[in-house]
Amino acid sequence: MSFEEFGLSPELLSGLADVRIEQPTPLQNEVIPPALQGKHMLVKHEAGDDGVFLIPALQKLTTNGEVTGTRVLILTPSIERVKEIDEKVWGMGYHAQISSAALSMKGIRTQQEQAIKDGAPVVVANPGRLIEILENHKLTLPNVDLIIIDEAHGMENYNLVSRVKDILKYVDGAPQSLIFSESHNKATEQLADFLLKDPTVLGFDDTQSSEKEGSKETSSSKKEKQQESSSDKQTDSDEEFELNQEEVNRKLAEASVSVVLNPEEKEEAEETQAQAEDSKTEEDPDPVPEDLAQAYIYVPPRAKISTLLAHLEKNLTDKIVVFAASKRTTDRLFRIIRKKGWGVVSINEGLKEEYYNERFGKFTSGEMKILLVGGLSATEVELDEVKQVINYDVPNEVEEYKYRAELVGNGKAARIVSLVSKMDKDDIDEIVKKVGYAPTELPLPKEVKEKKGRGKKSDNDKNRKKSDKNSRKKNDDRDRKRRKKPKKQKNKKTNGLPRPSYEGLSGGKEGKKNKKRPTPGKSDGAFGWIKKLFD
């Protein structure tokens, strides 16, 4: 058969072409048709062929109208599988615009909580993290119509079966269930009994199939029969002989066998211990070791890049990972550091796999000494050991700080350094509070201090020059006002001397007394004499 014969949507077919799935596998040919018909299924399945359950799941999302909220719930015990499945959902569902949320035990909790609240159409989750979010925030999953259990055999560890059952309390209705498992162990059996109704069974033998179809005796009736049988045997044995306890103790000591008088109490203790180990293993990162050198540098405003560069220059022999909050920041840092010739590569969220592998390989091989990580959690950077982790941006989650600390080796030079600005103070205070012991403050690099000092001196010079300029301007304005003042008083004396008038010029010294213009025909003085001469 071909995917077209399954009646898949054009958008999903395009997505399958993008991830290079061209023809259905034999198992897909068996599983997809009954899954699309809404059948409950128990399938023997090994990891690798994830299309066997993702194809029918995504097809349901493309055909069931405009129902909002989480409609497909995929539960898996493995942290790595959460990431793998989430990426495949994104690739296959890209053209159908199907989004998903990954809830792994090593993810950032606040982002995962928001994804549940927003109602991501597909949720891929570790049971421990999902039930924690549902219980803490009293959330429900009312629109789920398909539940997929991936690697059901792995649910046997850490009491995950009971967590799956608890999750179902927050799911409304009776959704279709598909269980995929490599083996038919106790966990698979319990999940099948709890979730499946009249299932189609593929890959397991007839005996195991009949167990799922209800032909076996119920577990309660089996237990009753065993109790009756045990009671009968005990009665018979009591009648036949009297127990010699001393002899029993001697033989047990010789055989080095320990006797459990109350097996029920032992089972409860083992279950409690398993839950504790599960909580420690899955939910929280390892505590930050006290011998890890934690440090921070208090960075003044507009000095973070120069502080980073000065710090890197003193540690170029180490393998260093620098975490930043965004791709934009790492791009800027990459351009600056590359000009220094220090050997740097950058990775970030959304980077194509081929580029990611190439850059990451250059760092792990030692060809490049500095790795810039933008917008990614430390859980997504698979490093065994680095000599130094630098928080260019302090994480706002204590768990993320611990995950970054896990990347650091245990050598004497190993440490995690945070560049703390005024905006980061609250975050670093919260980290110190949760971790339990404070990082050591490192001094601001000498060259940054000097640059900062020159900056202050330069500012003082500028202010002084500006003050002098303003003072000179005021003096000039005052002088201009003084110079303009006499011009306004045109008829007043200047420097104590009388301003001559036209009439005064006509009469010489005696002209002062002639305040009236002379009458025609009577001209006195030089002008009169000249006039008479021409006449």
Side-chain angles (χ1 to χ4, degrees):
M1 294 183 68
S2 65
F3 289 123
E4 288 79 3
E5 293 179 77
F6 293 142
L8 303 183
S9 68
E11 294 83 5
L12 181 53
L13 291 174
S14 298
L16 294 177
D18 287 348
V19 297
R20 298 180 180 178
I21 298 178
E22 299 174 354
Q23 293 294 329
T25 64
L27 186 59
Q28 290 173 7
N29 279 325
E30 290 188 82
V31 172
I32 293 176
L36 291 176
Q37 294 170 9
K39 297 276 189 180
H40 289 240
M41 301 186 73
L42 172 63
V43 182
K44 187 171 185 178
H45 169 261
E46 296 183 0
D49 184 9
D50 296 334
V52 73
F53 57 82
L54 288 181
I55 292 173
L58 299 181
Q59 175 62 17
K60 284 179 175 290
L61 290 175
T62 63
T63 56
N64 286 3
E66 297 296 330
V67 179
T68 58
T70 300
R71 295 171 53 199
V72 175
L73 178 60
I74 304 174
L75 301 176
T76 181
S78 168
I79 293 173
E80 291 75 17
R81 287 287 292 159
V82 169
K83 182 179 179 181
E84 291 175 10
I85 295 172
D86 178 61
E87 289 176 349
K88 290 179 180 178
V89 170
W90 182 85
M92 293 182 185
Y94 177 80
H95 295 281
Q97 297 183 349
I98 297 173
S99 60
S100 63
L103 277 64
S104 74
M105 301 308 299
K106 283 193 173 183
I108 299 176
R109 196 176 317 227
T110 53
Q111 295 179 0
Q112 296 173 355
E113 291 168 352
Q114 191 59 47
I116 293 295
K117 293 176 182 178
D118 292 342
V122 181
V123 170
V124 187
N126 291 143
R129 176 53 58 89
L130 178 58
I131 189 60
E132 175 187 280
I133 293 174
L134 294 176
E135 289 178 345
N136 289 347
H137 297 273
K138 298 181 180 179
L139 304 174
T140 60
L141 301 170
N143 300 316
V144 173
D145 51 31
L146 175 61
I147 296 175
I148 297 170
I149 307 295
D150 171 64
E151 294 188 345
H153 58 281
M155 299 286 187
E156 194 168 30
N157 301 322
Y158 308 120
N159 198 34
L160 294 181
V161 172
S162 64
R163 296 191 176 194
V164 173
K165 292 180 180 180
D166 290 338
I167 289 170
L168 267 293
K169 297 176 184 177
Y170 294 86
V171 176
D172 294 345
Q176 176 190 1
S177 298
L178 307 177
I179 298 178
F180 296 85
S181 180
E182 286 186 9
S183 60
H184 195 281
N185 61 3
K186 185 178 179 181
T188 305
E189 180 180 350
Q190 291 176 338
L191 290 170
D193 286 340
F194 187 75
L195 287 170
L196 302 182
K197 297 179 181 179
D198 191 20
T200 299
V201 182
L202 297 175
F204 296 105
D205 59 35
D206 294 339
T207 303
Q208 293 165 343
S209 301
S210 62
E211 290 176 2
K212 301 306 111 200
E213 293 168 0
S215 61
K216 286 189 64 177
E217 297 176 325
T218 63
S219 58
S220 59
S221 61
K222 278 183 65 180
K223 188 173 181 181
E224 290 174 1
K225 289 184 178 182
Q226 289 173 353
Q227 290 175 345
E228 290 175 2
S229 175
S230 175
S231 177
D232 293 341
K233 288 180 180 179
Q234 184 176 356
T235 303
D236 294 342
S237 62
D238 287 343
E239 293 175 355
E240 290 177 2
F241 66 90
E242 183 178 351
L243 182 66
N244 187 337
Q245 188 62 46
E246 293 183 0
E247 182 67 15
V248 171
N249 292 338
R250 183 183 64 79
K251 290 184 177 180
L252 288 175
E254 292 176 356
S256 299
V257 177
S258 60
V259 179
V260 179
L261 298 179
N262 296 310
E264 294 82 4
E265 293 180 2
K266 181 183 178 183
E267 290 179 1
E268 291 179 1
E270 289 177 348
E271 183 176 351
T272 302
Q273 182 180 2
Q275 291 177 354
E277 291 177 354
D278 177 25
S279 176
K280 180 180 178 182
T281 303
E282 282 193 7
E283 295 181 4
D284 297 316
D286 293 335
V288 177
E290 294 187 14
D291 59 352
L292 173 67
Q294 296 182 83
Y296 72 93
I297 302 174
Y298 184 76
V299 182
R302 298 184 299 278
K304 199 173 239 189
I305 291 180
S306 57
T307 302
L308 174 66
L309 295 176
H311 184 76
L312 289 175
E313 191 167 11
K314 295 177 182 178
N315 297 274
L316 290 178
T317 57
D318 297 342
K319 290 179 69 174
I320 301 173
V321 178
V322 181
F323 283 94
S326 67
K327 174 183 180 296
R328 181 179 179 182
T329 302
T330 54
D331 287 346
R332 185 182 181 191
L333 293 176
F334 176 78
R335 289 192 296 269
I336 295 171
I337 297 174
R338 183 177 58 178
K339 292 179 181 179
K340 298 280 186 180
W342 290 347
V344 61
V345 290
S346 68
I347 58 176
N348 52 71
E349 187 177 13
L351 185 66
K352 288 186 178 180
E353 185 176 0
E354 56 184 307
Y355 298 137
Y356 183 99
N357 293 336
E358 178 186 358
R359 298 176 185 180
F360 194 71
K362 287 183 178 180
F363 178 75
T364 54
S365 67
E367 182 181 349
M368 298 293 178
K369 293 293 184 183
I370 302 169
L371 176 66
L372 304 176
V373 181
L376 293 173
S377 169
T379 61
E380 301 175 79
V381 184
E382 298 178 0
L383 288 170
D384 295 330
E385 178 180 328
V386 293
K387 286 300 180 183
Q388 190 168 180
V389 168
I390 297 177
N391 293 320
Y392 183 83
D393 293 312
V394 177
N396 54 16
E397 291 282 345
V398 178
E399 289 82 3
E400 176 61 20
Y401 182 88
K402 292 180 180 180
Y403 292 136
R404 294 180 186 181
E406 287 180 359
L407 297 178
V408 183
N410 295 321
K412 293 181 180 179
R415 63 180 175 179
I416 181 169
V417 178
S418 302
L419 304 185
V420 180
S421 65
K422 185 177 180 180
M423 296 176 61
D424 300 319
K425 190 176 183 305
D426 291 341
D427 291 329
I428 199 70
D429 288 345
E430 183 68 16
I431 288 170
V432 170
K433 180 180 176 183
K434 294 288 182 67
V435 170
Y437 44 94
T440 303
E441 182 176 4
L442 297 178
L444 193 67
K446 183 179 178 181
E447 49 269 51
V448 180
K449 281 185 179 179
E450 291 175 352
K451 184 177 180 181
K452 184 183 176 186
R454 288 195 301 271
K456 285 185 176 179
K457 183 178 179 181
S458 176
D459 289 343
N460 291 335
D461 290 342
K462 288 179 181 178
N463 292 334
R464 186 164 54 250
K465 289 179 181 179
K466 186 176 181 180
S467 177
D468 292 344
K469 183 178 179 181
N470 291 335
S471 178
R472 286 195 301 271
K473 184 178 180 182
K474 289 180 180 178
N475 291 336
D476 292 343
D477 290 343
R478 188 166 56 250
D479 291 343
R480 278 195 295 269
K481 287 181 180 179
R482 287 175 179 175
R483 288 195 297 269
K484 288 180 180 179
K485 189 174 181 181
K487 294 181 181 179
K488 293 181 180 179
Q489 299 175 352
K490 293 181 181 179
N491 296 324
K492 291 188 178 180
K493 295 180 179 179
T494 303
N495 297 327
L497 299 175
R499 178 175 291 276
S501 62
Y502 179 80
E503 292 80 7
L505 288 176
S506 65
K509 290 182 179 180
E510 299 296 324
K512 292 180 183 179
K513 297 178 182 179
N514 301 330
K515 295 183 179 181
K516 294 183 179 180
R517 186 178 296 276
T519 57
K522 290 184 177 181
S523 298
D524 297 325
F527 287 111
W529 181 80
I530 294 170
K531 187 174 184 300
K532 290 179 179 180
L533 180 63
F534 282 98
D535 290 341

